[in-house]
Structures are given as structure tokens and as C-alpha cells.
Amino acid sequence: QAGPVLQKGGFTDRHWPISILSSGPSAGKEWEEYIQIRGLVDKIRKKQKGMSIVFEGSREHYFPDLMSWVQENGASSDGFTVANFGTEGYGLRATRDIKAEELFLWIPRKMLMTVESAQNSALASLYSQDRILQAMGNVTLALHLLCERANPASFWLPYIRSLPQEYDTPLYYQQDEVQLLLGTQAVQDILSQYKNTARQYAYFYKLVQTHPAASKLPLKDSFTFDDYRWAVSSVMTRQNQIPTEDGSRVTLALIPLWDMCNHTNGLITTGYNLEDDRCECVALQDYKENEQIYIFYGTRSNAEFVIHNGFFFQDNAHDRVKIKLGVSKSERLYAMKAEVLARAGIPASCVFALHYNEPPISAQLLAFLRVFCMTEEELKEYLLGEHAINKIFTLGNSEFPVSWENEIKLWTFLETRAALLLKTYKTTVEEDRSMLEKPDLSLHSHVAIQLRLAEKQILEKAWATGLAKRLNFQKKLEEETPLPRCEESDIALLENTNADAKLPIILRKLEEVEEGQGIQAEEHSQLHNGGKVKYGIDMEANGEPTHDEIQEKVNEDVHSSLDSFGNSNQKDQREVEDTSAR
């Protein structure tokens, strides 16, 4: 993992940016808009050169202060240290043997930077009067972080100084590096991320300069685009949800030291202990002395890791690509298909996922494709036929096909769809692999090509699976193999098994999301352990949804907003050191 080492958090376009979420411009127009906005931002950055706050020395220089601060304020500091792990960046290294599930790390609430601590800081007056800050906790955290960074007496300064000076999120990509992602599923989110960060900066720059409640903020004399980009990336890669002090709701927080841990496959091992009022982390596995201590960030795709965390995880067991499918309302059998899908708890139009692991399609997608490919007679069987209700339970079960013809149709559809999606890329898998071998390739270019290649490999796998399944069911049809029948006794078996593919479709949480909703982040479950209420933490960074009236307030002309800053006087210009996240 690059740069920020924790690289957790993660904002969807619905959560982080202030933007219009209705249908936007086409991909070509989005790219043109991105180039135009980037040109304006580059001009601003040149004018602001030397104005940003930077700390002397390297990031590593401040780690001893971080560990002393941690120890002084009641957090754990024994059993590990901060170390450099090369291409993975900084992380935690065990200084003794640590057993799996051993509680080795805890951070009390007073050390966390939260929306609540922002409300009790220099930002309080502005927060109480600005509806955007009140509605978007992640924006509040970003400005809170900037205000504390500019305060030499800040309680959190040892933590803030230990953060990277730069990140590897796409906000830091050069234009030609972003261009490598054109045609991928990730590019639209990346272009939106940049555009909306620029819009936010324009709004808050004007607010800081003109709002009476902002007159005493330490940002008044120096608030550059690079400052805001840094704060956005710090929060986006690190924030998480924790319960409020009374446990009645959740709030957003930055968690010092814990956010140094790098990611690996596994399970969530961090929770919030309300009784002791602290964040607690147990070891994911056994760690020997001098080994790196990892945590699991959650079931994220590599697109989500790249967009929101700034790294590509090579062995991502949860990698996937999105595929939007829907039954056409103009189709003659639409009403019947929509009704069968509704009984199975699946929308008639939905964003599904093709998975890296086996099987490449979920039970939900299998059920959708079966209904999508049903004939009128087959639909009647699932609506009016004998045991129609029981049949709904088997829609997502691979062991009970609707018919051999239906299986052939659905796997042919998947095979064809995957092939068509593969044709939309401008390069082949072989060309991508060849490009990755170039010695002069930048880190961001390498990550972009890795992501592009990973998408194609998942689509190739889906295509190959579709082909193999189609041929298999064609053989069964030709050989007149009898269809397996699901008896009533099998339904109870389906309800009590743990295997995802055998669970009744309507009893499982729908993994996919309705069209237009985006892929939602994992839920934060409450865990009860030994009488202590604990909240699972998975390195998420969900923000609050943006309200229409707030969007309208900030969605003014980007050009005039961004240019307006240039007329303001800037004071206390500082020389910017050539530092990097490494």
C-alpha cells in the first residue's frame, strides 16, 4: 500500500463530494470537463505555491513523538512499533510474539478526532451556522484537521505530524495517469472525485474569507487547494464510524496509531468498547517478533481501494466489477418477470457484481438471470403453479435449474455480455501486462494499469465460466438428463445451511444494490461480548448523504468560484519542501 499506510476509510460519490447526483454528462464530456477544471486548479496551485503549511523533517522523524503521546494518553504502546515496509509504506511491526485474537491495541476516545471534537474546537462557530458542515461529517473532519494542523498548541499535533505529506489517491494523479483509466469502471468515480473536491474547495475558500464566524479560523490567511486535497485524502483514507459516548448513534472519527496498520485478507478484528470507551483491536493471526501486523479493511473491490485508499491489493479475495442489468419495461413479459423478482426480493433493475473468486456470480445474480431468461410458461409456474412459493426459494440455488433451456440461455447471456464488456477496453490483457514491465512506469500509472487489467481478468473469467456452463447444459439437454427436483423437505435444508449458494434467496440480505444507489459500504454491526457492547470497525468511512438544498447551495459555477480566490490577499507565505508520502 502506498503513502498513507492505513489507507482505509473510503467515500462513495454519494458520501464525500458535494455534487449533483442526477444523471451527468457522458464519459467523453466528463473527461473534457475534468481537463477544464484541472486546468483551472493547476493555475490556482501555481499562484498558491509556497503558502501551504509543511512540517520540517521527514515523516519518520515524528514517530517517536507519536509513540510518546500515545503512551501519555492511555493508549497501548507495548508490543509493536512503527516501521517502514518498503512498497507497503509504514506500518506496525511486532516487537514480541502476539497470539491470534490477543488484544494488543486500544485507543481511548479522548485521542480520537471526531465530529464532536470539531464542534468543541475553533470550528464550532462556523459549524453551528453552516448547513453543509452539519450535514457532512467527513467535510467537518477535513476542516477540523486543517485547523488543528495550523495550531502549534493543538492536542493532536503529534498525530497530525505523523501523517503523510502527500497521498496516492487519484486526487494526486497526473492527467496522463488518470487517462490510463479511461474505459474502466473506476474512471467515472475518479473524475467525479476530482471535480467535486474542486467545487468543495471553491465553496469553503469563499466561506472562510467572507463568513463572520470564520474570521478567527487559522485558515483565514492560508487555505490552499493543496491543503484541502491533503485533508480530504487524510480523512478519506482513514476515517471510520464509532458510536457516540452514549451509544445512541454513530459518528465519524480519525483513530491515531491504529490507522498505521496495513491491509490483508481476513476478518474484521477491531471494535469499539463502550464500557471502557475506547477503540480495541485484536490480532488477526499469530505474529512473530519483527513481523508486520495487518488488519482487514473490509470487503472492498480494488476499484474502491484505488479510488478511496490509494493502493491496489494484488490478492484481493473480494475483487469484483459492477454489471448493470434490468428487465426492459417495454418487454411483453415485464410485469410477470418483475413480479417473480419482487417475490424473490430482487429489483427489476439492479447493479450486480461479477466476482474474482468462485463462483463469479452471486446467488442473487443467478436468480435474476434465471427470471430474466424465463419463458411465459416458466414464469407462470413460479407465479401460479403448484408449490410456486417453494420454487421462489430455489431461484438462487445452482442445484435446481428452472430448465436446461433456461440455463443455456442465462449462461449464453453472461458469456455474451462479458465478451461485449471486454471489447470496450482500448488495450488487451497482453498489452497491459507488457506495459507493467516497463521500468520507467510511475507508481500511479502502475496502479492504474493493474486496476484496468484486474477488471479484464474478472470479465474473462465470467466469459469462460459462461462458456463452460453453456456447453455443460447443452450436453444435458441433448442427453435428456432429468431435471433435479426440489422437494418440500429440501426447503428446510436450504434454510439451515451456511453455504451462500444454498440459502433461500429471500432470506439473505441482498448483496447487490438498486440501480442508481451505488455499491453500499459494509454495515457496522454491534457485537456483544462478555456484557460489553462493542461496535465492529472495518476501516470504513461512510459520510452522510447530501441534501438537495445543500447541493443547490454549493453547485454554483465552478469557473467563477475557483477564480474568485485569486483576488484575495494571502499572508504568511511558506516555502514548500519537496516531501513525499514515502
Side-chain angles (χ1 to χ4, degrees):
Q1 294 90 282
V5 294
L6 171 70
Q7 323 202 108
K8 313 149 177 64
F11 296 95
T12 65
D13 188 53
R14 294 170 55 80
H15 295 134
W16 175 259
I18 301 167
S19 64
I20 292 180
L21 298 175
S22 58
S23 57
S26 64
K29 287 185 178 179
E30 283 184 340
W31 177 249
E32 291 174 8
E33 187 180 48
Y34 167 77
I35 293 173
Q36 192 175 24
I37 294 172
R38 187 174 183 112
L40 288 170
V41 169
D42 286 344
K43 289 178 181 177
I44 290 171
R45 292 183 64 230
K46 285 180 182 177
K47 290 182 179 181
Q48 294 176 335
K49 190 173 182 181
M51 295 180 186
S52 297
I53 293 177
V54 293
F55 299 118
E56 293 181 3
S58 66
R59 179 187 178 198
E60 194 168 10
H61 176 77
Y62 295 101
F63 291 150
D65 291 341
L66 173 68
M67 296 304 292
S68 297
W69 177 71
V70 162
Q71 191 172 18
E72 290 166 5
N73 287 282
S76 56
S77 57
D78 177 51
F80 55 83
T81 188
V82 180
N84 191 336
F85 292 95
T87 56
E88 290 183 274
Y90 291 101
L92 294 188
R93 187 185 72 212
T95 56
R96 59 174 174 81
D97 290 354
I98 298 175
K99 294 294 183 183
E101 299 186 19
E102 176 186 341
L103 175 61
F104 74 97
L105 179 60
W106 58 88
I107 309 291
R109 182 183 295 272
K110 69 176 182 178
M111 295 179 64
L112 311 184
M113 294 189 75
T114 66
V115 173
E116 282 66 34
S117 66
Q119 293 175 45
N120 295 315
S121 72
L123 205 58
S125 180
L126 184 62
Y127 181 91
S128 67
Q129 299 179 52
D130 186 73
R131 296 178 67 186
I132 293 173
L133 291 177
Q134 294 167 13
M136 300 184 71
N138 36 33
V139 172
T140 300
L141 268 185
L143 292 180
H144 183 28
L145 186 62
L146 283 174
C147 288
E148 295 301 321
R149 186 179 72 161
N151 176 12
S154 172
F155 169 72
W156 290 284
L157 208 56
Y159 167 60
I160 296 170
R161 283 175 170 166
S162 73
L163 294 175
Q165 292 277 10
E166 291 184 355
Y167 288 87
D168 289 311
T169 61
L171 292 176
Y172 285 82
Y173 280 27
Q174 297 298 319
Q175 184 174 307
D176 61 333
E177 293 168 338
V178 176
Q179 197 164 6
L180 291 170
L181 288 164
L182 286 177
T184 68
Q185 293 196 349
V187 73
Q188 186 173 358
D189 287 339
I190 288 172
L191 299 183
S192 295
Q193 183 186 67
Y194 193 92
K195 175 180 70 176
N196 294 321
T197 301
R199 282 182 169 176
Q200 285 180 46
Y201 174 70
Y203 173 81
F204 285 110
Y205 183 88
K206 183 177 180 181
L207 196 73
V208 165
Q209 297 299 322
T210 61
H211 199 291
S215 61
K216 294 183 180 179
L217 286 180
L219 306 181
K220 182 76 175 177
D221 297 330
S222 177
F223 177 39
T224 68
F225 176 83
D226 283 358
D227 288 335
Y228 191 67
R229 178 176 63 169
W230 173 84
V232 165
S233 294
S234 296
V235 173
M236 186 164 56
T237 58
R238 292 174 138 70
Q239 76 162 357
N240 217 298
Q241 287 185 329
I242 64 164
T244 52
E245 208 161 348
D246 60 4
S248 63
R249 57 188 177 85
V250 293
T251 188
L252 299 178
L254 296 176
I255 308 173
L257 193 59
W258 175 73
D259 66 9
M260 296 295 297
C261 294
N262 284 319
H263 166 80
T264 194
N265 289 319
L267 299 170
I268 301 300
T269 56
T270 306
Y272 199 90
N273 185 330
L274 268 178
E275 184 175 306
D276 294 329
D277 203 18
R278 66 186 191 182
C279 173
E280 295 181 344
C281 183
V282 300
L284 182 62
Q285 61 194 54
D286 287 342
Y287 292 108
K288 297 291 185 183
E289 184 178 354
N290 292 323
E291 287 184 342
Q292 183 176 181
I293 301 171
Y294 292 96
I295 62 173
F296 176 60
Y297 290 5
T299 55
R300 313 249 184 103
S301 68
N302 267 320
E304 291 167 321
F305 277 137
V306 170
I307 295 165
H308 307 303
N309 300 95
F311 68 89
F312 180 92
F313 188 61
Q314 189 64 54
D315 300 312
N316 188 357
H318 303 283
D319 204 9
R320 56 193 179 270
V321 298
K322 291 179 285 187
I323 178 171
K324 185 191 291 186
L325 299 173
V327 182
S328 172
K329 291 185 178 179
S330 62
E331 185 185 338
R332 184 176 66 87
L333 300 176
Y334 172 80
M336 295 177 74
K337 290 182 178 181
E339 177 61 25
V340 176
L341 287 169
R343 292 184 184 187
I346 303 173
S349 183
C350 193
V351 177
F352 295 96
L354 300 175
H355 296 271
Y356 168 79
N357 56 357
E358 289 290 348
I361 68 171
S362 65
Q364 284 80 13
L365 180 50
L366 176 61
F368 177 90
L369 290 174
R370 280 177 169 172
V371 177
F372 184 79
C373 295
M374 280 183 186
T375 63
E376 186 171 358
E377 289 304 311
E378 288 168 343
L379 287 165
K380 286 179 181 177
E381 279 295 309
Y382 282 77
L383 289 170
L384 306 169
E386 188 179 2
H387 307 303
I389 293 177
N390 285 350
K391 286 187 176 219
I392 296 292
F393 280 71
T394 67
L395 276 173
N397 191 312
S398 59
E399 295 181 14
F400 299 106
V402 174
S403 66
W404 298 134
E405 292 87 351
N406 182 268
E407 290 293 305
I408 292 168
K409 284 181 188 176
L410 79 88
W411 291 109
T412 301
F413 175 85
L414 183 67
E415 177 189 357
T416 305
R417 188 61 177 265
L420 288 172
L421 288 171
L422 279 166
K423 287 182 179 178
T424 63
Y425 293 90
K426 295 180 180 180
T427 57
T428 64
V429 167
E430 291 72 23
E431 287 171 336
D432 285 348
R433 285 176 175 154
S434 177
M435 289 178 71
L436 287 173
E437 293 175 1
K438 293 182 178 179
D440 57 343
L441 202 62
S442 71
L443 171 65
H444 296 160
S445 295
H446 196 273
V447 168
I449 296 168
Q450 279 183 305
L451 182 59
R452 191 171 71 189
L453 177 60
E455 283 189 9
K456 294 174 190 172
Q457 289 173 326
I458 291 172
L459 290 171
E460 281 190 341
K461 184 178 180 183
W463 174 84
T465 300
L467 173 62
K469 294 279 189 181
R470 172 173 62 82
L471 295 175
N472 175 54
F473 290 117
Q474 281 177 343
K475 184 178 179 182
K476 288 184 182 292
L477 180 64
E478 292 166 2
E479 294 175 351
E480 299 183 350
T481 305
L483 276 173
R485 298 293 177 186
C486 183
E487 305 298 334
E488 266 191 80
S489 59
D490 292 329
I491 298 297
L493 174 66
L494 293 178
E495 292 183 23
N496 293 315
T497 179
N498 288 324
D500 177 70
K502 296 185 179 182
L503 281 172
I505 192 74
I506 59 174
L507 297 185
R508 264 181 278 108
K509 178 183 173 185
L510 187 65
E511 293 174 2
E512 327 299 349
V513 186
E514 288 188 39
E515 181 180 354
Q517 293 298 304
I519 300 298
Q520 298 295 318
E522 299 93 301
E523 292 185 354
H524 294 71
S525 57
Q526 295 187 19
L527 308 175
H528 297 268
N529 184 8
K532 298 181 180 181
V533 180
K534 297 187 179 182
Y535 291 71
I537 296 179
D538 66 351
M539 277 319 201
E540 274 302 344
N542 299 332
E544 297 80 1
T546 312
H547 302 298
D548 290 342
E549 56 195 43
I550 295 173
Q551 293 171 4
E552 291 173 10
K553 185 178 180 183
V554 299
N555 195 40
E556 57 191 69
D557 187 351
V558 176
H559 300 69
S560 60
S561 297
L562 290 175
D563 283 338
S564 67
F565 103 97
N567 299 322
S568 302
N569 292 325
Q570 299 292 335
K571 302 175 183 178
D572 299 329
Q573 297 190 6
R574 301 169 176 85
E575 291 299 319
V576 180
E577 291 186 345
D578 182 18
T579 58
S580 71
R582 294 273 174 243

